[in-house]
Amino acid sequence: MFWTRLMSSAILVVLALLFILTGGYLLAAVLLFLALMAFHELMKACKLTGKAGKTDRLEVIGYAGIIIYYLLMVFSKEREYLFLMLIVMLAAFMFLYVFAFPSYRAEQIMCAFFCVAYAPVMLSFIYLVRELPHGIYTVWMIFISSWICDTCAYAVGMMFGKHKLAPVLSPKKSIEGAIGGIVGSAVVGALYAHFVVESVISDQNVLWAFVLISAVGAVISQVGDLAASAIKRNHEIKDYGKLIPGHGGVMDRFDSVIFTAPMIYFLTLLLIHG
């Protein structure tokens, strides 16, 4: 299992480099695929998928809405349309709720909308960060704040972890590990800014901005990791899927990235492009 997980991680890093450096339509298409898979995994976890291989009407609205959302993201420069599309999807779920009553309960409608907004929409911020000025450099903060944080938190937790961070939800995670993840992300963010980014964005001092973005992103990423674990615990599943050998599904591997991407987008706008 360890070597399978390690090999999968190496392949993911290589693919991330390829897709993000290329950007554009390729990155958007990959993110759309991940978004649809994550939506399916969440709907399955919430027991909202169709029976006997059939697609439920909630799924149809979700899949269609996600595809339209991503098309608007790529082909429209007006970002307000993305917020409008969220409202349209919510309205579509409510139409189904009303005119198919009592086929669906209110909590099913709310959960279906959550499954759209949680992973598919939040994943789209990877593309939005990549499309910002200097986005080819700032987009890596998403992965520094999540994957680097995860690695550092694991290493520090193994060596020094004594105090439980969330003893009921995740007994192996420690406060020391969490702090190590934040510090590790901040350090890597500082090194990345100093050796790579400052020579490109020379009109401002980006080092401290990148340190702050990395540290805040690391905090958010750990919450995202725990939130995804909490959903699995609530629904009594081990993994969301089997797409990625050694890791599970999209939600298992990208749980922290999903939470981090929107925060990095807005912090980048505020601290670097503000």
Side-chain angles (χ1 to χ4, degrees), residues 30-105:
V30 170
L31 289 174
L32 174 58
F33 169 75
L34 294 176
L36 293 173
M37 290 299 299
F39 174 71
H40 172 72
E41 290 172 3
L42 285 168
M43 291 288 282
K44 186 177 180 181
C46 296
K47 296 179 174 59
L48 294 177
T49 52
K51 305 296 183 183
K54 295 182 179 180
T55 303
D56 189 88
R57 287 172 289 182
L58 288 173
E59 293 179 276
V60 172
I61 293 173
Y63 288 132
I66 292 165
I67 291 171
I68 296 171
Y69 176 93
Y70 273 75
L71 289 174
L72 286 172
M73 179 181 72
V74 174
F75 294 106
S76 174
K77 298 301 181 183
E78 302 297 329
R79 297 307 183 201
E80 291 83 359
Y81 290 148
L82 300 181
F83 296 104
L84 174 61
M85 191 60 213
L86 279 176
I87 302 302
V88 170
M89 280 191 277
L90 177 59
F93 282 127
M94 295 305 292
F95 266 82
L96 178 63
Y97 178 48
V98 169
F99 292 107
F101 191 86
S103 298
Y104 298 97
R105 297 181 59 82

Side-chain angles (χ1 to χ4, degrees), residues 146-172:
S146 53
W147 291 351
I148 295 295
C149 172
D150 185 49
T151 301
C152 292
Y154 177 79
V156 173
M158 287 291 291
M159 291 186 290
F160 305 108
K162 293 182 179 180
H163 302 86
K164 302 298 182 182
L165 179 66
V168 177
L169 178 58
S170 187
K172 293 184 179 181

Side-chain angles (χ1 to χ4, degrees), residues 175-192:
I175 294 175
E176 292 83 0
I179 295 172
I182 296 168
V183 173
S185 294
V187 170
V188 173
L191 293 172
Y192 176 64

